[in-house]
Amino acid sequence: MKFARLGPLGSEKPVLIDGDAVFDLSSLTRDIDGDFLSSDGIARAAEARANGTLEEIADPGSLRIGAPIARPSAVVCIGMNYAAHAAESGSAPPEIPVVFLKTPNTVVGPNDHVHIPRRSEKTDWEVELGIVIGKRASYLDSPDDSVAHIAGFVVANDLSERTFQLEESGGQWSKGKIAPGFNPTGPWLVTPEDLDYQNLRLRSWVNGEPRQDSSTADQIFGVDHIVWHLSQYMTLEPGDLVLTGTPEGVALSGRFPYIRPGDVVEIEIDGLGRQRQEFSAAP
C-alpha cells in the first residue's frame, strides 16, 4: 500500500494511493502520523478502500506533494552504512552502527525548494532508504522482531554540509545535517509487504548527471539489524523516521563538485518514487 500527504505546506491532506487513483483519508485520520500508524491506521485504510467508503481525489497531480509522514518526534540516522561510501569518506567500514540525529524540521516534501545554508561551501546530497516506525520499539529481543515495528519505507535525501559536519563538528556530525529542509522525504510511504526492502536500487543525479547507483543489498547493517540495534539504546516511537545510510557517489568523495545555487538534485529508489530539489542561497 502507498500513502502520501498532498496539499499546501502545513495543510497537507492524508491520502491512500491505489494504482492511478488517489483517495482522501480525512474521514479516518487528521494526518499520517504516529497516532494513525499506532492505531491500526494502515489496516483501517485498507478496509475502507475495500468497502468503497473513501472519496477519490479528482486531480491529485495538481497538488503539492508533502512529506508522506507528519513531523516525526525523532529522525535517527545511520552513517557510513555502505563500505564504498565509508572508503570515499576516508574511513574503514564501521564495526557497529554509527548513529547521529537530524531535527524534525529538516523533514520537507520531496520536491520542495532547498536553501543552501549561509557560509556553506560543501552542501552534499545523499540518497537513502528511510524506515518509518509504526509500533513502539524498545529493547527488541532480535532483529527478526524489527519488521513488526515498521510501518513502511520512504525515499530520503540526507542533505549534508560537510564543513559543518566534519570541520566544525566538535566531535559529532549533526551540525552538518540539521539545516531547515535538509531532509526531503517521499513522495510515498510504502508498506513492507510491497517491497523487497533489502534489495532496492538507489540512484541520484545532479543537473541530470548520474552520481550514485547502488543497492540496499550492499548495506553493512541491514534494516532489521538497524531497528533492533537502535532499540537497545532508545525507544523508537510510531511515526519516527530512521535513515539507513547512503552509498558511494557523493561530493565528499572529491570526484564531483558540491551543490551550488541553481543546481537540481534528483534521487530515486525503486518502488519508492523519485524526488527533485532546486537549490538557492539562503536569504
Side-chain angles (χ1 to χ4, degrees):
M1 298 179 69
K2 291 181 181 178
F3 295 87
R5 297 168 67 247
L6 304 180
L9 180 65
S11 301
E12 294 90 346
K13 179 178 295 187
V15 302
L16 168 67
I17 301 171
D18 187 357
D20 294 329
V22 178
F23 297 91
D24 188 354
L25 292 176
S26 298
S27 61
L28 294 181
T29 182
R30 63 179 177 81
D31 215 336
I32 299 174
D33 55 13
D35 289 341
F36 171 73
L37 297 173
S38 64
S39 62
D40 293 323
I42 289 175
R44 290 187 289 112
E47 182 180 6
R49 172 69 187 108
N51 293 337
T53 59
L54 298 178
E55 180 180 352
E56 186 172 355
I57 295 176
D59 187 17
S62 66
L63 300 175
R64 169 186 170 271
I65 304 173
I69 53 170
R71 183 174 291 188
S73 66
V75 182
V76 187
C77 310
I78 304 299
M80 296 191 296
N81 197 27
Y82 293 76
H85 176 59
E88 73 178 356
S89 304
S91 301
E95 295 183 2
I96 59 173
V98 175
V99 178
F100 62 93
L101 301 176
K102 294 175 86 86
T103 51
N105 69 352
T106 58
V107 177
V108 295
N111 304 319
D112 286 352
H113 192 92
V114 178
H115 286 123
I116 298 171
R118 295 181 185 182
R119 300 192 298 110
S120 173
E121 296 292 336
K122 295 181 178 181
T123 292
D124 209 345
W125 60 89
E126 294 189 14
V127 59
E128 303 203 12
L129 176 68
I131 306 166
V132 178
I133 300 300
K135 178 182 176 183
R136 179 175 290 177
S138 178
Y139 297 116
L140 300 185
D141 291 331
S142 163
D144 293 338
D145 297 331
S146 294
V147 68
H149 296 262
I150 295 173
F153 298 91
V154 295
V155 182
N157 193 350
D158 176 21
L159 292 166
S160 308
E161 211 299 330
R162 302 302 190 185
T163 298
F164 302 169
Q165 176 189 352
L166 301 174
E167 300 173 34
E168 301 178 12
S169 68
Q172 53 79 41
W173 290 358
S174 290
K175 284 182 183 176
K177 302 283 188 171
I178 56 178
F182 257 35
N183 192 0
T185 303
W188 315 309
L189 166 67
V190 180
T191 51
E193 68 271 12
D194 291 330
L195 288 173
D196 181 6
Y197 55 84
Q198 213 58 73
N199 188 30
L200 298 173
R201 188 181 185 188
L202 313 87
R203 288 178 287 176
S204 64
W205 298 260
V206 178
N207 300 325
E209 298 180 358
R211 293 293 187 260
Q212 296 169 282
D213 190 347
S214 188
S215 169
T216 57
D218 295 331
Q219 289 180 336
I220 298 170
F221 305 105
V223 165
D224 295 340
H225 183 92
I226 288 169
V227 173
W228 166 80
H229 179 83
L230 290 174
S231 81
Q232 309 307 304
Y233 299 90
M234 65 181 295
T235 297
L236 294 167
E237 300 286 357
D240 284 352
L241 178 61
V242 178
L243 304 188
T244 61
T246 200
E248 60 92 20
V250 297
L252 182 62
S253 68
R255 294 185 286 135
F256 308 111
Y258 287 99
I259 298 170
R260 293 287 180 262
D263 284 349
V264 174
V265 173
E266 296 170 277
I267 67 171
E268 181 178 67
I269 299 179
D270 286 355
L272 291 173
R274 189 179 181 106
Q275 301 183 358
R276 182 183 187 275
Q277 298 98 39
E278 296 182 10
F279 287 78
S280 64

